[in-house]
Amino acid sequence: MTDTGGVARNPWLLPDAVEELLPPAAARLERLRTQALVTCERWGYALVMPPMIEYLEALLSGVAHDLDLQTFKLTDQLSGRTMGVRADITPQAARIDAHQMRRDGPVRLCYSGSVLRTRPDEPGAARNPLQLGAELYGHPGIESDVEVIALMAEVLYAAGVETLHVDLGHVGIFRGLAAEAGLDSGDEARLWDALQRKAVADLEAILDTLAVGDPHRSRLLALARLSGGEDVLAEAEHRFAPAGEAVVNALADLRAISAHLQRWLPQLVLHFDLGELRGYRYHTGVVFAAYVPGASQALGRGGRYDDIGAVFGRRRPATGFSTDLKTLLRVTAPAAAVDHAPTGIAAPWVDDAALRRCIAELRERGEQVVWQLPGHGHHPQTVGCNRMLVSDGQGGWSVQPLEGE
């Protein structure tokens, strides 16, 4: 097979940034997924399984419109309508809460499934993550933000993460400062982009073109530098004291969330970045991301996104987090290296009722037993075994170590 330029192509190569998992990594990932969902269930989060594909107008409704460029689109052969392959499960969970469940009061949902994106979110990321997340609907207070951050931390700790750093920010601070400065949506978007790049020179150049008074200019520029430990909050409270109620309240929320987390999870390392606005158009309050030392990619992200269900007929406060389990597996895989050692039991292909009963009992106890098929001709280790079922010559069978083990 050749492409249009006559260069040979390998039809078995996967597309760029699309991953598959082989043994034993696939088994470890499934155990990781199961363990994370069990953790969510113990916290009261009910599992939902949204479809991989939906009509595009439903998939990209409301805040999910920002996912348009990340969404693969195709035509439904039955209806002729345009469909989309989900790039994020969070909006689907919001639709389920607002349109399907329609309960009053807090609703806790969790989910796990593959998503597909037209391009990676960041360098080194896959376009087909295995997304796991939890969402809490119906409660507007910071208590639900604390719960979701603590649940994210427990999921990551249970996966084998030892030292966890959580970055905290709040989109209400930038929004409040931009509104006080009288910025329109276009200018606000330009400043947001420069803030994400920590490009102070670009921020200054943009502000030079705008009719922004010195106090507002100084506060907006300060956001790019307000990053660090707890002292960042104290500095921000001092700098932004003359700002409006929205900014003051956002800082108070961060202060309260920090205090709760320090009591709940004293081992958690908190970092504050008031210029971190990832998901700015999507989120409405606190935003957070979890990192481990030595890894550049976030292991978990989330934040508050109130009014998510408005487009589905129910305006609901909401907060949640999600993680890519494949990224989490890569970070925690060294601790699971022992999985490479064979642990199964080889069974000879013998038509013997006692042997079949023995194998059934072993599997009931959680052992892996692998039939050695006729003509196999290979050492049992090649199929992951380090033991063998051996006949005692009197109708009984016992598990014996392989020679050399």
Side-chain angles (χ1 to χ4, degrees), residues 284-332:
T284 61
V286 64
V287 290
F288 53 85
Y291 296 89
V292 294
S296 60
Q297 285 182 261
L299 292 189
R301 289 189 180 276
R304 178 160 290 278
Y305 54 107
D306 289 343
D307 302 332
I308 180 70
V311 71
F312 303 114
R314 294 189 76 207
R315 193 175 293 273
R316 297 266 280 171
T319 183
F321 83 92
S322 66
T323 180
D324 174 17
L325 292 176
K326 291 180 182 178
T327 299
L328 184 56
L329 180 69
R330 282 193 291 270
V331 171
T332 59

Side-chain angles (χ1 to χ4, degrees), residues 167-171 173 254 271-277 285-288:
D167 281 6
L168 291 171
H170 200 299
V171 301
I173 299 172
L254 283 179
H271 179 273
F272 300 89
D273 188 346
L274 304 191
E276 171 54 53
L277 302 171
V286 64
V287 290
F288 53 85

Side-chain angles (χ1 to χ4, degrees), residues 2-217:
T2 60
D3 61 18
T4 54
V7 179
R9 292 187 300 176
N10 184 343
W12 313 119
L13 288 178
L14 292 174
D16 288 344
V18 172
E19 299 177 334
E20 64 184 356
L21 290 179
L22 304 178
R28 290 205 302 270
L29 182 65
E30 181 59 20
R31 288 196 293 272
L32 184 64
R33 186 191 70 84
T34 300
Q35 175 182 270
L37 289 176
V38 167
T39 299
C40 291
E41 182 183 21
R42 288 172 179 167
W43 282 57
Y45 288 74
L47 181 65
V48 293
M49 294 182 177
M52 172 68 78
I53 191 167
E54 294 193 44
Y55 290 123
L56 194 63
E57 57 266 35
L59 201 60
L60 299 183
S61 294
V63 294
H65 182 71
D66 284 347
L67 295 170
D68 188 15
L69 293 179
Q70 283 281 53
T71 301
F72 280 97
K73 302 165 181 81
L74 63 156
T75 301
D76 181 11
Q77 298 299 309
L78 295 181
S79 67
R81 295 169 62 184
T82 302
M83 304 183 79
V85 180
R86 66 186 181 197
D88 186 358
I89 303 178
T90 305
Q92 294 183 294
R95 172 183 57 75
I96 290 172
D97 168 67
H99 188 63
Q100 301 286 87
M101 305 190 74
R102 303 189 67 83
R103 295 178 186 167
D104 294 326
V107 170
R108 293 172 171 85
L109 300 178
C110 65
Y111 53 81
S112 174
S114 293
V115 299
L116 186 63
R117 295 166 184 164
T118 57
R119 63 194 71 185
D121 274 351
E122 54 188 317
R127 292 195 291 163
N128 62 327
L130 180 58
Q131 185 181 4
L132 179 138
E135 317 294 333
L136 202 167
Y137 302 101
H139 184 267
I142 60 110
E143 296 83 2
S144 50
D145 296 310
V146 171
E147 176 179 321
V148 163
I149 296 170
L151 173 58
M152 176 188 70
E154 181 157 330
V155 166
L156 299 180
Y157 283 135
V161 171
E162 295 181 357
T163 303
L164 189 62
H165 296 248
V166 171
D167 281 6
L168 291 171
H170 200 299
V171 301
I173 299 172
F174 174 68
R175 282 210 176 103
L177 294 177
E180 288 182 358
L183 302 182
D184 62 28
S185 58
D187 293 332
E188 187 177 320
R190 291 165 62 203
L191 285 176
W192 171 82
D193 177 67
L195 266 175
Q196 297 322 286
R197 294 182 284 110
K198 304 294 187 199
V200 176
D202 289 353
L203 278 172
E204 292 175 336
I206 294 169
L207 288 169
D208 285 343
T209 67
L210 305 175
V212 176
D214 286 342
H216 301 303
R217 175 190 175 92

Side-chain angles (χ1 to χ4, degrees), residues 308-380:
I308 180 70
V311 71
F312 303 114
R314 294 189 76 207
R315 193 175 293 273
R316 297 266 280 171
T319 183
F321 83 92
S322 66
T323 180
D324 174 17
L325 292 176
K326 291 180 182 178
T327 299
L328 184 56
L329 180 69
R330 282 193 291 270
V331 171
T332 59
V338 69
D339 284 358
H340 289 285
T343 58
I345 301 169
W349 187 265
V350 177
D351 188 7
D352 184 291
L355 175 61
R356 290 193 292 272
R357 286 194 300 271
C358 180
I359 291 172
E361 290 170 1
L362 288 168
R363 287 172 174 164
E364 279 287 324
R365 300 205 306 256
E367 293 278 10
Q368 180 188 65
V369 185
V370 182
W371 286 106
Q372 298 294 97
L373 298 173
H376 182 267
H378 297 286
H379 195 278

